[in-house]
Amino acid sequence: MYLTLVTTDLPTNSNSMEHIVILGNGISGVTAARHIRKHSDKKITIVSAETDHFFSRTALMYIYMGHMNFEHTKPYEDYFWKKNRIELVRGYVTAVEHEKKRLKFADNSLLDYDKLILAVGSKPNKFGWPGQDLEGVQGLYSYQDLENLEKNAPNNKICKHAVIVGGGLIGIELAEMLASRAIPVTFLVRESSFWNGVLPEGESAMINRHIKNHHIDLRLSSNLREIIADENGRAKAAVIDETGEEIACDIVGLTAGVSPNVAFLKDSGIELGRGIKVNRMLETNIKDIYAIGDCAEQHEPIGSRRPIEAVWYTGRMMGETVAQTICGNPTEYKPGHWFNSAKFFDIEYQTYGWVFSKPRENETHFHWKHEDDTKCITVCTKTSTGQFLGINTFGIRMRHEVFDRWLTEERSTDYVMQHLREANFDPEFYKQFESQILSSYVQQQTVNA
Amino acid sequence: MSTIQRNMSLTGDASNYLNPTQKIATVIGLAGLGIIVFSLFHEFANQALWLTLSLLAIGGGIVLFAKGSYSGKLEGIKNHGVWIKSISSRGFWGWVAGISLTGFYVILYFYEGLLGANPDGNTGIVGLFDPLSRFLSGNPASQWFVYGTLYTVAILAFGIKFIWKYRHNRYEQLRTVSVMFFQTAFAFLIPELMARLNSDSFSLPYNDLKNMWPLNYYAFDGWRVDQFINAETIGIAFLVFAVLSVFVISPILTYKYGKRWYCSWVCGCGGLAETAGDSFRQLSDKRMVAWKVERWVIHSVLVFSVVMTTAVVSTYLGYDSEKYWLTKDMFLIGVAVFLGLLFAVIWYYKREELAKDARYGAIGYLVIVLGLIAIHYFSNNQLFLFEAGDLRSFYGFLIGAVFSGVIGTGFYPIFGNRVWCRMGCPMAGILGIQQRLFSKFRITTNGGQCISCGNCSTYCEMGIDVRSYAQKGENIVRASCVGCGICSAVCPRGVLKLENGPLEGRIDGNQVLLGNDVDLMSLVNEK
């Protein structure tokens, strides 16, 4: 108490004592905090309702599968925060009062800020399905979701069958998780082929087969009609809309995408779209309030990127960018060439540049697939000029740095295919497929000519 | 933070159950061990038969268990339930295994009589192994023969299990075949067979060619050197090879490939750790404090082993000077000059990189030189209060037996499988310094693809926090890395690759590409 009094009475150097409050301790918020600390002496507070310490959300699946403990998913040891003078506050914020520059918590306590960074992430989508709020129905996004999953599906005695609704990245992860505990899974996918809004046909079909090889009951072109409750209000079955089939189950996983977690900002005066509207400086319409990561929505999309990008590395980049701005070096968010990665059961996926599920106007796709049905690539070319636009690669690792350079240099696809070996990133002694890919490419070129 | 209590579940966990094949395999393997234990109380009439049965049952049980675990499953990472099963997460069975192994090592090193070792005729377990020993070398078995045989069986059987587990990964398969070969041929068969050459007029010491000083701390003991010299051409050749491997062969290979060429492709300790110890790699301590302890302990052992070896060698050079062309003083001066030059070269080329570490290096060097001076002045073969021989025994007891055996291997299920390699092995210490300073080896980070999940750090047996580099886009160049390649294998996003490349830009973290526009990266990289 005494200490607090003294510090508030002292004349403060407004710049160094400026209080930056970051709402959300995910990758975006934590990156922002780390970089603000790197560049300044400001007071930094991170607020989270989810966990005391930062953890890697993408690793939640590995905790359930027993590959790691929660501790292993923390990128920084617990002493890190104190050492770097980053204060951590555990609490649930219910309102942002920007006129008074303060946050209001669920227990009615308050926290003043000078600058506020909103890094509040997403929440799982629900589309008004009957029964979507029953016991035993859940998404997979937060640490609390993981705890629920441990309760709802600890093993295949308590959870005899699972239904997953929504064929995206989280859906297939949840299927892999449940399968790791020998729980039979029915996987309802609205599209006619897994993730085919993003993946070209050949790749999507290969992943369909891989999912089935893992003994997942994959149901394509299948929507959820409703979830039926038992007498205790717990989910006991899911009904498929197209066929009316009722699938008995003990858990329903809702994994039909995520959307920005912005409901609590409805009356805050901060401009919202689907997410929190920001300009290229990541500023909201209200002075001294910024938004980064999954919850931020660009007024204008950047290049072919979506206005909201719920991707790990974009959160990290926005954190770095906003830290520059806050530390007196106004910087625009300028993501470079698009890239991303994922893993579908045993098949790794990487993408560099743009490959859309169907070639857009003036685009051509080249597809190669290995006979073992676990490796393939798709390359997108600008038809008129032969310029390389992007590559999807499955089961073969490629170098980010090389593709980034080739995209910047606007290389032709001919060049890329001839130099593909330079981009190979598979472990030593792995079989290489570049010559096979090249001859298949040349063959196709000849046919087209 | 509430942690998830899996063990509260009344029904247990399905992924934790053994399937029928694994159950049968467990029975067969334990029966094999049972035969060995039973031989303590009962002398088999046909020892050769029972020993064969026992070894086949142990090896076969392990391989069958691997079949139960991996066959019929798709290729890929097989870490389901590692932190759920008690054997691999310091649970009940982990402690049972740790205590049993430790007990075995204590008996092996200090109470070999309990195993039935007896110069006047073996009984018990050692007796059971007599037929095999006579078949190979013509001599009765010793407790070390028993140990060597079981060690080899373990590397072979668990090696097959490891290859099965990583059947999608040729790097892992090839290096496992390599350690299986070096263990069976170089550490086990060749020395045993060479013992057949020994006669009253000719004798070579037991010599595992790949076991280099200072891991092999007795490599230059007087009696060994004498035997080599007496064995003339072939003995001298072995002696020259031993010296060359320390000063020429190993630095060249480490420069080209990193210390992995030895630690995870050749070494017997590494071989056991990578095969039998694979189930425990995730137990290594990743904390910063563990890294600090590691650097002090391993380099202290290295200094200790250099001083001890110098003292031992100078002792026999001193009292038997007419036998050797090298005199004690020449040797001591030679060691001092060599280390002085080595330190000067490192200081000259790497002083910016080293910063604080250089001071520790200087301290180590100073300790050794003071040791040399002490050896010189205590002409009655005493170093401080110890005789050189006592120093050698003390080292053998503390480092050779307690550290590498009892703690290093016995505690696999508690501290992880590479505790000895990480904290204690002086050989790994030397190779590590070479790897850090003069080597083309590094683990490359793939731009901005890292999602900080932590699989790489969790499964690093050396306790390196791989993620802390990968998430910054920095290459990993660490003295302790043995290049097992598992971080790269378990990475779900294809971020890590073991490579030998140009020295230029090897450690450079500023070339990173985290996906940002270039001018932001230059700002981020400003220190």
Side-chain angles (χ1 to χ4, degrees):
Chain A
M1 277 291 104
Y2 172 73
L3 251 173
T4 327
L5 272 175
V6 171
T7 43
T8 44
D9 285 350
L10 281 171
T12 54
N13 172 342
S14 70
N15 201 27
S16 73
M17 290 308 289
E18 191 176 44
H19 187 195
I20 312 293
V21 173
I22 301 168
L23 190 46
N25 70 348
I27 178 66
S28 317
V30 161
T31 307
R34 282 177 42 240
H35 283 269
I36 292 170
R37 175 52 70 238
K38 225 170 167 178
H39 299 297
S40 79
D41 215 25
K42 298 177 198 294
K43 184 176 175 199
I44 304 171
T45 305
I46 300 181
V47 180
S48 168
E50 187 180 17
T51 52
D52 290 336
H53 297 107
F54 170 48
F55 70 98
S56 175
R57 189 172 304 293
T58 50
L60 280 178
M61 65 181 295
Y62 297 106
I63 303 177
Y64 180 84
M65 298 199 299
H67 294 210
M68 287 192 271
N69 281 334
F70 177 68
E71 284 300 311
H72 297 117
T73 67
K74 292 183 190 168
Y76 305 99
E77 285 184 58
D78 291 351
Y79 69 78
F80 175 88
W81 309 102
K82 199 169 176 192
K83 188 182 152 210
N84 288 289
R85 291 171 292 127
I86 297 172
E87 248 173 81
L88 305 177
V89 172
R90 184 85 184 264
Y92 188 85
V93 172
T94 50
V96 175
E97 301 178 354
H98 68 83
E99 304 87 357
K100 295 178 178 156
K101 285 196 151 189
R102 67 186 190 190
L103 300 178
K104 195 171 166 199
F105 287 81
D107 62 0
N108 285 325
S109 61
L110 300 164
L111 179 69
D112 294 333
Y113 65 81
D114 294 311
K115 288 198 168 109
L116 175 66
I117 301 174
L118 297 167
V120 293
S122 316
K123 56 174 182 34
N125 286 333
K126 291 180 176 180
F127 291 109
W129 294 295
Q132 67 181 16
D133 295 318
L134 291 172
E135 282 262 320
V137 180
Q138 67 165 106
L140 180 70
Y141 182 86
S142 65
Y143 183 79
Q144 285 69 31
D145 290 336
L146 182 74
E147 286 183 311
N148 283 333
L149 188 65
E150 198 67 53
K151 250 187 282 159
N152 289 328
N155 55 50
N156 62 7
K157 298 284 180 300
I158 292 175
C159 180
K160 293 189 177 62
H161 199 100
V163 172
I164 297 172
V165 182
L169 296 176
I170 300 179
I172 195 169
E173 282 182 5
L174 185 57
E176 182 178 0
M177 291 162 72
L178 294 163
S180 80
R181 296 203 186 177
I183 295 170
V185 176
T186 298
F187 189 12
L188 306 186
V189 174
R190 186 184 57 183
E191 294 77 21
S192 59
S193 180
F194 176 77
W195 217 33
N196 67 359
V198 175
L199 301 180
E201 195 187 341
E203 303 172 347
S204 168
M206 185 180 89
I207 300 300
N208 288 342
R209 293 189 290 274
H210 189 63
I211 292 171
K212 288 178 185 163
N213 287 342
H214 274 278
H215 312 294
I216 304 295
D217 173 24
L218 176 66
R219 307 286 188 95
L220 298 171
S221 307
S222 299
N223 282 279
L224 175 70
R225 182 186 296 169
E226 62 170 322
I227 302 164
I228 303 172
D230 66 8
E231 62 279 10
N232 302 318
R234 262 196 78 88
K236 70 164 190 186
V239 182
I240 299 179
D241 198 31
E242 282 74 6
T243 59
E245 185 186 348
E246 201 178 301
I247 300 168
C249 60
D250 300 293
I251 184 174
V252 177
L254 299 180
T255 57
V258 295
S259 43
N261 174 27
V262 293
F264 76 107
L265 296 171
K266 217 169 55 213
D267 305 317
S268 64
I270 299 171
E271 187 189 351
L272 301 177
R274 273 187 66 222
I276 303 165
K277 290 279 193 181
V278 293
N279 60 21
R280 287 293 289 270
M281 311 295 286
L282 303 169
E283 296 161 331
T284 66
N285 61 321
I286 309 236
K287 191 174 175 298
D288 291 335
I289 299 184
Y290 305 78
I292 57 174
D294 287 17
C295 67
E297 178 179 356
Q298 288 287 328
H299 288 293
E300 298 294 328
I302 302 170
S304 298
R305 286 170 183 266
R306 296 176 187 179
I308 300 173
E309 290 183 301
V311 177
W312 183 264
Y313 76 88
T314 53
R316 186 175 61 203
M317 284 159 49
M318 288 188 225
E320 288 169 1
T321 309
V322 84
Q324 293 286 345
T325 302
I326 284 178
C327 294
N329 175 29
T331 304
E332 278 196 358
Y333 170 58
K334 278 194 277 184
H337 298 295
W338 168 256
F339 69 94
N340 203 5
S341 60
K343 192 174 181 187
F344 306 110
F345 284 91
D346 299 315
I347 299 182
E348 287 173 26
Y349 154 71
Q350 297 182 333
T351 182
Y352 301 102
W354 289 110
V355 182
F356 291 93
S357 57
K358 293 199 173 55
R360 297 184 300 183
E361 209 188 320
N362 194 19
E363 285 181 356
T364 317
H365 280 185
F366 160 69
H367 182 66
W368 168 89
K369 185 167 77 64
H370 188 260
E371 60 198 15
D372 77 0
D373 210 25
T374 65
K375 301 170 194 77
C376 72
I377 67 165
T378 304
V379 178
C380 182
T381 309
K382 196 169 187 176
T383 317
S384 54
T385 60
Q387 187 192 334
F388 169 75
L389 296 178
I391 184 169
N392 280 355
T393 159
F394 289 76
I396 302 175
R397 295 176 172 179
M398 303 269 185
R399 270 178 215 271
H400 184 183
E401 193 192 346
V402 172
F403 274 111
D404 199 75
R405 196 177 64 231
W406 285 345
L407 286 165
T408 304
E409 293 168 352
E410 302 192 347
R411 293 288 182 180
S412 68
T413 297
D414 287 354
Y415 178 91
V416 168
M417 299 311 283
Q418 269 152 20
H419 294 79
L420 202 54
R421 186 155 295 180
E422 286 170 38
N424 186 293
F425 200 70
D426 271 337
E428 294 153 296
F429 304 114
Y430 266 44
K431 236 198 201 142
Q432 301 203 314
F433 304 99
E434 286 81 8
S435 50
Q436 220 184 97
I437 293 171
L438 181 63
S439 63
S440 159
Y441 174 72
V442 170
Q443 207 175 2
Q444 193 182 331
Q445 295 299 98
T446 339
V447 171
N448 289 349
Chain B
M1 179 56 46
S2 62
T3 48
I4 298 163
Q5 292 292 317
R6 292 200 179 79
N7 50 5
M8 297 296 283
S9 161
L10 290 172
T11 48
D13 190 320
S15 63
N16 206 359
Y17 291 150
L18 296 182
N19 62 37
T21 314
Q22 288 171 318
K23 282 178 190 157
I24 295 167
T26 307
V27 171
I28 294 175
L30 286 179
L33 274 182
I35 293 172
I36 292 183
V37 174
F38 189 60
S39 72
L40 279 174
F41 312 105
H42 173 83
E43 187 138 340
F44 292 110
N46 189 343
Q47 286 179 320
L49 174 73
W50 284 102
L51 177 63
T52 311
L53 274 179
S54 158
L55 295 181
L56 283 178
I58 294 173
I62 295 168
V63 172
L64 190 65
F65 194 92
K67 182 176 157 57
S69 309
Y70 309 127
S71 83
K73 294 199 176 140
L74 299 182
E75 295 179 2
I77 295 304
K78 299 278 174 270
N79 286 334
H80 291 346
V82 163
W83 286 96
I84 299 174
K85 293 171 194 156
S86 74
I87 181 75
S88 54
S89 61
R90 292 191 201 102
F92 176 76
W93 287 111
W95 280 95
V96 168
I99 291 165
S100 316
L101 276 170
T102 308
F104 169 72
Y105 275 95
V106 169
I107 292 171
L108 178 76
Y109 280 108
F110 309 114
Y111 304 99
E112 70 274 12
L114 291 177
L115 299 175
N118 186 344
D120 307 321
N122 292 322
T123 56
I125 293 178
V126 182
L128 181 67
F129 282 71
D130 270 341
L132 182 61
S133 181
R134 284 190 206 282
F135 173 72
L136 292 171
S137 67
N139 302 321
S142 66
Q143 77 270 28
W144 301 118
F145 180 80
V146 173
Y147 181 51
T149 309
L150 292 176
Y151 198 104
T152 307
V153 169
I155 288 187
L156 289 177
F158 283 108
I160 293 171
K161 176 173 185 276
F162 189 80
I163 288 172
W164 215 322
K165 181 176 176 184
Y166 284 101
R167 66 186 194 275
H168 59 292
N169 190 319
R170 276 180 81 196
Y171 179 78
E172 298 304 332
Q173 295 180 327
L174 287 177
R175 74 172 176 79
T176 305
V177 168
S178 174
V179 290
M180 287 161 76
F181 165 75
F182 277 103
Q183 174 61 30
T184 314
F186 281 64
F188 187 62
L189 290 180
I190 294 176
E192 290 296 332
L193 294 174
M194 293 228 342
R196 286 195 170 267
L197 300 175
N198 289 352
S199 64
D200 291 341
S201 58
F202 177 86
S203 113
L204 277 174
Y206 189 94
N207 190 32
D208 173 358
L209 274 173
K210 67 170 174 54
N211 198 4
M212 271 187 262
W213 181 88
L215 174 57
N216 178 0
Y217 57 92
Y218 45 82
F220 301 110
D221 279 7
W223 60 274
R224 277 176 68 92
V225 172
D226 287 348
Q227 278 192 331
F228 279 133
I229 291 173
N230 294 336
E232 293 181 343
T233 319
I234 183 156
I236 303 279
F238 280 150
L239 197 55
V240 169
F241 182 76
V243 176
L244 280 182
S245 35
V246 178
F247 295 103
V248 180
I249 299 172
S250 107
I252 290 175
L253 289 174
T254 307
Y255 171 74
K256 290 186 74 145
Y257 307 113
K259 79 196 237 191
R260 57 183 172 151
W261 78 267
Y262 192 75
C263 297
S264 58
W265 284 74
V266 172
C267 178
C269 301
L272 191 72
E274 294 290 348
T275 52
D278 172 60
S279 304
F280 310 111
R281 59 174 59 248
Q282 66 281 356
L283 301 174
S284 59
D285 193 333
K286 285 19 175 233
R287 289 172 305 159
M288 180 66 83
V289 60
W291 185 18
K292 285 184 179 151
V293 170
E294 164 198 319
R295 287 190 292 182
W296 275 104
V297 174
I298 190 171
H299 295 123
S300 303
V301 173
L302 177 57
V303 168
F304 185 15
S305 78
V306 171
V307 172
M308 184 275 293
T309 307
T310 311
V312 166
V313 173
S314 66
T315 305
Y316 63 77
L317 290 179
Y319 66 73
D320 260 351
S321 51
E322 71 285 356
K323 254 169 67 182
Y324 311 99
W325 57 268
L326 198 62
T327 69
K328 177 182 170 183
D329 288 345
M330 261 168 65
F331 174 73
L332 288 177
I333 292 166
V335 173
V337 169
F338 174 78
L339 290 174
L341 279 175
L342 194 65
F343 189 72
V345 167
I346 294 175
W347 181 257
Y348 181 77
Y349 284 106
K350 299 283 172 178
R351 59 188 177 281
E352 288 100 16
E353 259 179 56
L354 286 173
K356 213 164 67 180
D357 290 341
R359 217 168 55 224
Y360 297 136
I363 294 169
Y365 174 64
L366 194 69
V367 169
I368 295 175
V369 171
L370 287 176
L372 296 179
I373 294 169
I375 295 168
H376 175 76
Y377 280 107
F378 291 96
S379 51
N380 55 350
N381 301 326
Q382 280 193 335
L383 178 59
F384 311 111
L385 298 172
F386 306 105
E387 291 221 5
D390 291 343
L391 195 67
R392 155 76 176 68
S393 318
F394 182 59
Y395 183 92
F397 167 77
L398 194 70
I399 309 297
V402 174
F403 207 154
S404 80
V406 180
I407 298 177
T409 313
F411 281 80
Y412 269 10
I414 308 301
F415 297 138
N417 57 333
R418 284 272 196 180
V419 151
W420 157 249
C421 312
R422 179 186 183 188
M423 303 277 181
C425 176
M427 175 91 197
I430 293 183
L431 295 179
I433 293 170
Q434 288 173 23
Q435 168 162 287
R436 176 68 181 72
L437 298 176
F438 304 105
S439 170
K440 295 156 88 75
F441 173 72
R442 89 291 308 274
I443 302 175
T444 307
T445 295
N446 198 9
Q449 291 282 25
C450 177
I451 51 166
S452 300
C453 70
N455 273 295
C456 52
S457 296
T458 305
Y459 288 90
C460 177
E461 55 192 355
M462 300 305 281
I464 299 171
D465 190 1
V466 183
R467 165 176 56 193
S468 67
Y469 302 87
Q471 66 190 0
K472 285 188 282 191
E474 234 176 88
N475 290 349
I476 296 114
V477 179
R478 278 279 291 268
S480 63
C481 174
V482 292
C484 71
I486 294 296
C487 57
S488 162
V490 297
C491 175
R493 302 300 177 104
V495 174
L496 302 162
K497 178 174 164 67
L498 281 63
E499 284 189 301
N500 313 306
L503 293 177
E504 189 85 358
R506 178 172 171 248
I507 310 182
D508 197 352
N510 291 344
Q511 300 284 325
V512 298
L513 177 87
L514 293 175
N516 304 41
D517 190 84
V518 185
D519 58 349
L520 174 60
M521 276 327 295
S522 58
L523 289 169
V524 169
N525 283 326
E526 269 172 27
K527 294 256 161 82

